[in-house]
Amino acid sequence: MKFHGKPRTQTAAFLPLCWLFLKILQPGHSHLYNNRYAGEKVIRLIPQTEEEANALKKIYYELQVDLWQPSSISYVSEGTVTDVHMSQNDSRALLAFLQEVNIQYKVLIEDLQKALEKGSSLQTQRKRRSLSGYNYEVYHSLEEIENWMHHLNKTHSGLIHMLSIGRSYEGRPLFILKLGRRSRAYKRAVWIDCGIHAREWIGPAFCQWFVKEALLTYRSDPAMRKMLNHLYFYIMPVFNVDGYHFSWTNDRFWRKTRSRNSWFRCRGVDANRNWKVKWCDEGASMHPCDDTYCGPFPESEPEVKAVANFLRKHRKHIRAYLSFHAYAQMLLYPYSYKYATIPNFSCVESAAYKAVNALRSVYGVRYRYGPASRTLYVSSGSSMDWAYKNGIPYAFAFELRDTGHFGFLLPETLIKPTCTETMLAVKNITMHLLKKCP
């Protein structure tokens, strides 16, 4: 990718949103999210030296910076791709600084507000064309997703069972779907969750896509029939329900949960730093205002506590844990919190290798794969590490499309290709699981 010293306008991402927003805008406002993103930019930088990295860290602390990649300022180092979302005034200050010190950069998104509004009009048109049924090629609000779950529970009772495993901080039910052919025989299971981080909308879209494909192809696809006959899938389309709802109604780029802190105004905890595995160590923050805040104690978030309790209760038969995030195009496995090789490395590595090859076979999209600590960065308190340390032998985290051009604003036109290729990877991992490899 070519970088240069002066800003360059890029085609803004088309983020589709639904008519729900029209209901929540205050009278007198004609813009989504009350026009809060007007003039805001997403800028990519890759510091070439440690001196440049340190200079960027310093100015990031001085300005209002929302890091898209990596998730924390502490990860910024020589050669690290850094995507930052900034207000109009702060982006001007950053661009002036970059030109002064001659650090190369690229403007990925020139105006987030325009991207959101253009995407919204596109989505409205797409929804009109899909009134005959549920449209899996658009993003859906939490209410729509829950209604969809209730509908499947009624119409596909032979393969689907809906249950609540607890309630969120704000009192919302935490729903999961149990997918698979019911039988009295002992069956192993796979856990799949999406939407731990609120702004990563492609995750919940994939969880829905997976369920749709499973139901549609159960009778026609021998591999899917084998999967559903021999395994149960516990699928949680939206893990962070409060945060996801907030990202639709107030702040599109919200990441954390919505719990309150008694000492700080900042709300929320990073639900992927709140697990009891090297909790609040490297790669997590103790400050409530940071995006990687680990929380006041492990499993402080009721969402994390509920899922951890469910996994503990069913740990004897859950053999795989799959968590879907965005963005980076990676397939990660343990460990995240340390540079070490897992005991069943050969089995897990083989599954990952075959999965990314299967994924690439569809559209040629390349995913990096490997231990999270080496492939992405070191982070503590992650759900994947916790699952692995608690006896689930196959634990993976997907970072779905893309690699930064759209970032969290992956347009709806890319939902279908992203989910189609990811589906092959998941089926590949699942079929690997059914073999003798422990």
Side-chain angles (χ1 to χ4, degrees), residues 1 10-11 42-44 83 106-110 404-405:
M1 186 177 289
Q10 295 288 316
T11 302
V42 178
I43 302 167
R44 167 165 291 183
D83 297 345
K106 178 180 182 179
V107 177
L108 295 178
I109 300 175
E110 187 70 35
H405 181 70

Side-chain angles (χ1 to χ4, degrees), residues 196-385:
I196 281 184
H197 294 138
R199 60 193 178 185
E200 299 168 11
W201 287 9
I202 187 60
F206 173 72
C207 266
Q208 293 185 279
W209 188 277
F210 178 87
V211 174
K212 180 259 297 184
E213 283 296 301
L215 295 175
L216 282 179
T217 64
Y218 173 66
R219 297 191 183 280
S220 60
D221 179 5
M224 184 60 74
R225 189 160 57 250
K226 184 176 182 180
M227 287 163 54
L228 297 189
N229 285 347
H230 290 84
L231 297 165
Y232 282 124
F233 290 85
Y234 296 111
I235 301 162
M236 191 174 198
V238 186
F239 185 115
N240 179 8
V241 289
D242 297 344
Y244 185 74
H245 176 73
F246 191 74
S247 75
W248 274 77
T249 57
N250 291 79
D251 182 352
R252 173 62 185 86
F253 306 107
W254 186 259
R255 170 183 167 95
K256 300 188 287 182
T257 62
R258 292 294 298 160
S259 56
R260 290 185 180 274
N261 186 289
S262 57
W263 299 100
F264 291 84
R265 287 187 177 181
C266 301
R267 292 184 66 162
V269 166
D270 184 342
N272 205 34
R273 300 291 188 277
N274 191 232
W275 299 73
K276 196 174 183 179
V277 53
K278 284 290 179 180
W279 175 78
C280 221
D281 208 314
E282 186 175 354
S285 171
M286 298 183 70
H287 198 288
C289 295
D290 289 345
D291 267 349
T292 55
Y293 175 47
C294 60
F297 52 87
E299 297 181 22
S300 63
E301 305 311 283
E303 301 86 351
V304 173
K305 184 79 170 176
V307 173
N309 283 341
F310 184 89
L311 294 175
R312 277 190 284 261
K313 182 179 178 181
H314 297 86
R315 78 170 89 198
K316 289 183 179 179
H317 67 279
I318 294 179
R319 308 305 293 161
Y321 173 91
L322 307 179
S323 189
F324 290 85
H325 300 254
Y327 59 95
Q329 291 177 197
M330 294 179 180
L331 177 53
L332 309 171
Y333 54 81
Y335 297 104
S336 288
Y337 71 89
K338 64 179 178 178
Y339 299 110
T341 302
I342 54 176
N344 62 337
F345 170 80
S346 60
C347 284
V348 172
E349 171 80 1
S350 174
Y353 171 76
K354 291 176 181 176
V356 297
N357 280 344
L359 187 151
R360 190 174 64 190
S361 71
V362 190
Y363 302 103
V365 173
R366 293 180 178 271
Y367 270 51
R368 293 171 59 198
Y369 69 96
S373 56
R374 298 184 185 278
T375 311
L376 188 56
Y377 42 64
V378 173
S379 63
S380 58
S382 74
S383 64
M384 178 182 70
D385 278 352

Side-chain angles (χ1 to χ4, degrees), residues 27-28 40 61 81 112 119 139 167 206 237 303 313 346 356 398:
E40 297 191 0
Y61 281 117
V81 174
L112 280 177
Y139 295 115
R167 288 195 171 269
F206 173 72
E303 301 86 351
K313 182 179 178 181
S346 60
V356 297
F398 281 80

